[in-house]
Amino acid sequence: MDKLKMVQRFPRSRDRLLAILHELQRANPRNYLTGEDLRLVAQYLDLPLSQVHDAVTFYSMFSLVPRGRHIIRLCDSPPCHLAGAWSLLAALQEELGIRVGETTPDGLFTLEFTSCLGVCGVAPAMMIDDQVYGNLNPERVREILAGYREAG
Ligand code: FES
């Protein structure tokens, strides 16, 4: 679907700004928003481009640079830290061969930190795309990554 049609499915209301940005980012296989996307949204909602840009840079779920097909967000808030998130970080970095903020050369994964995912009862936790995983250990992390690799 072309981007204009995608945007036009939303009411022309400024409180739809984040929802529209989400939709555009989700539709991009590299998981980011282009300058053209921002201009399109600004025009559609009759907002200054700077305001759209501010929203995109304020929320960590948006990116202005290309990322992997799957975004891995490892929780680095205190409860997950105490439950051993550091060992998950080591496993993720070793398994993926990248550091936080980087994308694997095959374009499959980007690794990021996030603050609390709201599932502290099953800490340590991470999220891949829209799926939350809890009660993790390094071995489970490797299994999960293998599943995504198999699925492509
Ligand atoms: S601190 Fe990690 S999910 Fe809440």
Side-chain angles (χ1 to χ4, degrees):
M1 179 188 302
D2 92 22
K3 287 180 175 180
L4 180 59
K5 285 208 179 92
M6 193 182 299
V7 168
Q8 284 172 334
R9 287 186 309 160
F10 289 86
R12 213 171 196 135
S13 160
R14 291 177 180 189
D15 63 9
R16 304 305 292 161
L17 172 62
L18 297 182
I20 297 173
L21 291 170
H22 261 300
E23 187 74 7
L24 285 170
Q25 181 168 274
R26 207 190 336 255
N28 184 330
R30 295 303 307 271
N31 259 313
Y32 78 110
L33 291 160
T34 65
E36 181 205 342
D37 294 337
L38 272 55
R39 281 190 292 279
L40 177 64
V41 175
Q43 200 171 22
Y44 183 66
L45 296 180
D46 194 22
L47 285 168
L49 183 58
S50 60
Q51 197 171 324
V52 177
H53 189 270
D54 287 350
V56 169
T57 51
F58 180 79
Y59 292 101
S60 64
M61 67 268 201
F62 296 125
S63 175
L64 290 169
V65 295
R67 295 185 293 179
R69 186 169 336 142
H70 301 292
I71 309 296
I72 302 171
R73 296 185 175 91
L74 177 65
C75 177
D76 72 340
S77 289
C80 278
H81 248 289
L82 290 172
W86 59 271
S87 67
L88 307 185
L89 176 61
L92 283 164
Q93 292 190 147
E94 186 189 312
E95 194 65 29
L96 299 171
I98 57 172
R99 304 185 72 77
V100 174
E102 295 178 347
T103 297
T104 53
D106 61 4
L108 198 53
F109 297 106
T110 293
L111 179 59
E112 297 179 351
F113 279 133
T114 182
S115 52
C116 181
L117 292 166
V119 292
C120 316
V122 294
M126 69 177 183
M127 191 169 179
I128 301 183
D129 304 330
D130 295 328
Q131 177 72 45
V132 174
Y133 297 92
N135 289 321
L136 292 171
N137 56 44
E139 192 178 315
R140 181 76 187 114
V141 164
R142 289 191 188 93
E143 285 170 10
I144 292 167
L145 290 181
Y148 279 85
R149 282 191 174 119
E150 260 172 42

